[in-house]
Amino acid sequence: MIMLGRRLVLLGPPGSGKGTQGDLLSQRYGIPKISTGDMLRRMRDDPALGPSIRGYQDSGGLVVDEILFPVVENRLRNPDCAGGYIFDGFPRTLEQAKWLGERVDTVVSLGVPDSVLVERVRYRFTCEDCGAIYNTKLSKPKVEGKCGKEECCGELFQRPDDKPETVAERLKKYREKTEPLIDYYRKRGILKELKFGEEDVAVDVVFGRVVAAIES
Ligand code: AMP
């Protein structure tokens, strides 16, 4: 398997499957997934930056670049990024894409209709210990409310920003700020655009299409 040129960006609205697909790609290629949402969530208790981060996240707004860029820059300096990485949730604006510059080889856009997104986010639960993501409608965990991954069994919780009002705001932000990146990366010739219909598609089917797009 060719490992060069594996600096990937997953582009898509909330609930489009960036996190899940990012985890699978990370396993397949042995490169880290970089979720800016997760990194910022871990900073919510930071005495200096936490209050500001919580304010943006809880209202469905975007965290400002002055906070985000140093976090991403530091993460990219980590030696585990030397063989490539998968961005999940970054870049989200044209400014961020310009800042990232040439440090991306392929962008996969996951196009999913709003009706599917809203439904998925409603049933999305995360394990507080290992971060595994569940759709409790499609794949019920073995023990209700608990993670089913081997040696984990952490509590499952719903992200506060997955409540319907906040999801609506996040979708609006996506349309306004992030969707223009599809065109931006298309013009740069590095976009692989996937479109899915109203029928919810199984994770492994989506993964097959994502891998085929990346390796084509
Ligand atoms: P996510 O887990 O990717 O859905 O991100 C959750 C929240 O974290 C977003 O709604 C934003 O408030 C914040 N966030 C994550 N990534 C970014 C980004 N690239 N730019 C600005 N805010 C971000």
Side-chain angles (χ1 to χ4, degrees):
M1 197 177 297
I2 304 162
M3 291 307 293
L4 291 173
R6 284 281 146 77
R7 296 174 302 176
L8 310 172
V9 165
L10 292 173
L11 206 58
S16 59
K18 301 187 298 294
T20 304
Q21 296 300 322
D23 284 336
L24 293 170
L25 288 170
S26 169
Q27 280 168 26
R28 181 178 176 96
Y29 298 131
I31 53 177
K33 177 184 88 168
I34 303 179
S35 158
T36 44
D38 284 350
M39 289 196 294
L40 292 166
R41 272 187 286 279
R42 286 195 288 271
M43 294 168 66
R44 286 168 66 92
D45 292 330
D46 181 279
L49 300 175
S52 170
I53 292 173
R54 265 182 269 142
Y56 292 118
Q57 284 192 324
D58 293 348
S59 62
L62 294 181
V63 173
V64 288
D65 292 342
E66 294 75 59
I67 294 180
L68 192 59
F69 286 167
V71 175
V72 176
E73 189 69 58
N74 256 337
R75 183 65 191 84
L76 288 177
R77 282 209 199 103
N78 196 301
D80 69 342
C81 290
Y85 41 78
I86 305 136
F87 271 117
D88 155 15
F90 186 87
R92 260 175 156 97
T93 63
L94 215 47
E95 292 73 27
Q96 292 179 3
K98 287 182 181 158
W99 178 86
L100 186 63
E102 297 300 311
R103 296 178 285 184
V104 47
D105 304 303
T106 303
V107 176
V108 179
S109 141
L110 302 171
V112 178
D114 281 8
S115 54
V116 177
L117 299 173
V118 169
E119 187 76 355
R120 276 194 199 161
V121 168
R122 177 137 59 112
Y123 292 100
R124 173 159 73 182
F125 282 78
T126 310
C127 171
E128 66 175 11
D129 289 345
C130 74
I133 304 158
Y134 287 86
N135 180 319
T136 55
K137 191 180 181 194
L138 297 178
S139 57
K140 283 203 184 320
K142 278 179 224 131
V143 181
E144 206 183 319
K146 296 270 187 200
C147 179
K149 293 260 163 11
E150 243 171 86
E151 294 171 17
C152 184
C153 216
E155 293 285 329
L156 299 185
F157 74 98
Q158 184 153 42
R159 280 167 45 176
D161 59 343
D162 276 352
K163 54 180 188 291
E165 319 83 83
T166 320
V167 172
E169 181 56 29
R170 287 163 65 206
L171 269 173
K172 191 164 151 250
K173 274 274 171 320
Y174 176 81
R175 303 283 175 230
E176 270 172 35
K177 300 279 187 184
T178 313
E179 215 164 49
L181 296 186
I182 295 180
D183 221 36
Y184 173 79
Y185 283 121
R186 186 185 294 122
K187 286 189 182 128
R188 274 179 51 176
I190 57 171
L191 181 76
K192 309 279 184 176
E193 195 168 8
L194 300 181
K195 287 191 176 151
F196 299 91
E198 296 287 337
E199 278 297 300
D200 205 348
V201 183
V203 167
D204 53 339
V205 175
V206 177
F207 187 55
R209 288 186 57 188
V210 168
V211 168
I214 292 170
E215 295 181 4
S216 65

